[in-house]
Amino acid sequence: MTKIFYLLFLLLICCTKESDKVTAVSSLDTAGISVEDTAKVVEPSYIAPEIEEQITKNDFDILLPTRYRDWEERNSADDLTEKWIDLYEKDGKYFLGKADYRIVKGFDECSGDSTKTIQSKNKTLILLENDNLKLGEIQSVKFVKNKIWPTEKMSFRFNDVDYSLRAEGKVLSSERVHTDHGIEIFQNVEDYRLYISANEGPEHLFLNQKSFNDTFVELLFIGDIDRDGKLDFIFGANRDYEEERVLLYLSSDEEGKTMKKVSEIAVQFDC
């Protein structure tokens, strides 16, 4: 009788422990976080702008005068036709004209892929698949500084409108580097955000980048591409030193915003 009582007592203890274990797991599932996944959890409100930028579709495509690798039996250079528009610089001025180019085939020994290179006959900044643009010289704004580091501002006036760009971000380190323009200060930045405002109106976030790998955002062009009397921007925003990424922003009144990203291209040349 004593043995039977002892066995029943052990069985009761085991059931109690198993019940506690199930309850603990259930409480974690309700929170949506498991023990193994705890380190992977990221604050949703923080990453939302990055995700939104990545899934934004182009209003129209753009290409760069550079080399493209074949990928899954196609090549981005094949999209280019004579109907595309060429935004190019000549004697310090900018023009829109019909694309004038040739395609040169090659091979990338680094990646082992066949390549096609767009060689433009002009000093091309970007090529645009947009036949609604008017050809000829376009107004542009000259700027001396092409990088806007965190806490810095850049202002300029165009058609009686005062524009201001303001940058935020976390500077991890700074160093002096040699460039084509002499010695410059280069900063390692993360959580970069660029805001724009017009006539001291409300600011709008229009460019954000979580991190960089030996790169930074560079201002490539300011001018009136679509001839609506308002400024448009082109930025180089390489996220890695083995990437060439360009963002095109056109003026927009959408939801009261001053600027809208209409197209993006990223070309990889890593091994």
Side-chain angles (χ1 to χ4, degrees):
M1 186 70 178
T2 304
K3 291 182 178 180
I4 295 175
F5 178 81
Y6 181 73
L7 290 174
L8 290 173
F9 179 75
L10 289 178
L11 181 61
L12 179 61
I13 292 175
C14 292
C15 290
T16 302
K17 289 184 178 180
E18 183 66 20
S19 176
D20 290 342
K21 181 179 179 182
V22 172
T23 302
V25 173
S26 177
S27 65
L28 286 172
D29 290 341
T30 303
I33 304 173
S34 67
V35 174
E36 292 83 5
D37 291 337
T38 301
K40 302 176 184 178
V41 176
V42 182
E43 181 63 35
S45 61
Y46 176 78
I47 65 173
E50 285 288 317
I51 294 176
E52 182 179 1
E53 182 179 71
Q54 291 176 7
I55 64 176
T56 301
K57 293 183 178 179
N58 291 342
D59 288 7
F60 54 85
D61 289 333
I62 59 175
L63 285 169
L64 306 176
T66 190
R67 183 174 66 170
Y68 298 86
R69 297 170 176 172
D70 288 352
W71 177 255
E72 296 183 349
E73 299 183 355
R74 73 174 303 274
N75 191 295
S76 297
D78 294 333
D79 297 335
L80 181 61
T81 70
E82 294 180 355
K83 294 182 179 180
W84 281 53
I85 304 300
D86 184 358
L87 171 57
Y88 64 95
E89 183 266 331
K90 182 179 180 181
D91 298 329
K93 298 179 180 180
Y94 285 89
F95 301 83
L96 290 174
K98 290 294 184 181
D100 191 0
Y101 65 95
R102 67 170 183 159
I103 303 293
V104 179
K105 295 183 179 180
F107 184 79
D108 188 343
E109 295 183 355
C110 178
S111 64
D113 297 319
S114 296
T115 64
K116 291 182 180 178
T117 301
I118 298 175
Q119 293 186 349
S120 177
K121 295 183 180 179
N122 297 314
K123 191 176 179 180
T124 298
L125 183 56
I126 59 171
L127 297 150
L128 309 90
E129 189 185 25
N130 188 338
D131 54 9
N132 293 322
L133 298 174
K134 184 179 178 181
L135 305 186
E137 183 179 352
I138 58 176
Q139 291 180 288
S140 61
V141 175
K142 292 184 179 181
F143 50 93
V144 178
K145 185 178 176 62
N146 67 345
K147 295 182 181 68
I148 309 174
W149 299 106
T151 72
E152 291 185 346
K153 291 183 178 181
M154 179 183 290
S155 300
F156 29 81
R157 187 175 180 81
F158 183 77
N159 284 347
D160 297 325
V161 176
D162 293 314
Y163 294 86
S164 179
L165 300 179
R166 184 181 65 85
E168 292 181 352
K170 183 179 180 181
V171 178
L172 304 179
S173 62
S174 299
E175 61 179 322
R176 293 179 178 272
V177 297
H178 292 272
T179 70
D180 295 337
H181 307 289
I183 298 178
E184 297 181 1
I185 297 296
F186 182 83
Q187 300 181 355
N188 182 14
V189 178
E190 67 177 22
D191 301 337
Y192 183 75
R193 293 178 292 277
L194 191 62
Y195 297 85
I196 187 170
S197 62
N199 286 333
E200 298 184 353
E203 289 186 326
H204 298 284
L205 173 66
F206 74 104
L207 192 158
N208 62 87
Q209 181 60 43
K210 170 64 177 174
S211 62
F212 303 92
N213 185 13
D214 290 335
T215 59
F216 191 63
V217 173
E218 294 188 13
L219 185 55
L220 302 179
F221 172 86
I222 306 176
D224 187 7
I225 297 174
D226 53 11
R227 302 179 191 275
D228 65 350
K230 303 175 184 178
L231 285 183
D232 309 310
F233 296 82
I234 300 177
F235 286 91
N238 306 343
R239 293 159 293 198
D240 187 89
Y241 64 89
E242 293 180 318
E243 174 187 62
E244 186 175 7
R245 178 172 175 243
V246 170
L247 313 177
L248 170 62
Y249 292 84
L250 296 183
S251 49
S252 170
D253 291 324
E254 180 182 347
E255 299 178 358
K257 294 181 179 179
T258 307
M259 200 63 49
K260 176 189 177 185
K261 188 180 75 171
V262 297
S263 194
E264 170 182 343
I265 184 172
V267 182
Q268 308 295 328
F269 49 89
D270 59 307
C271 288

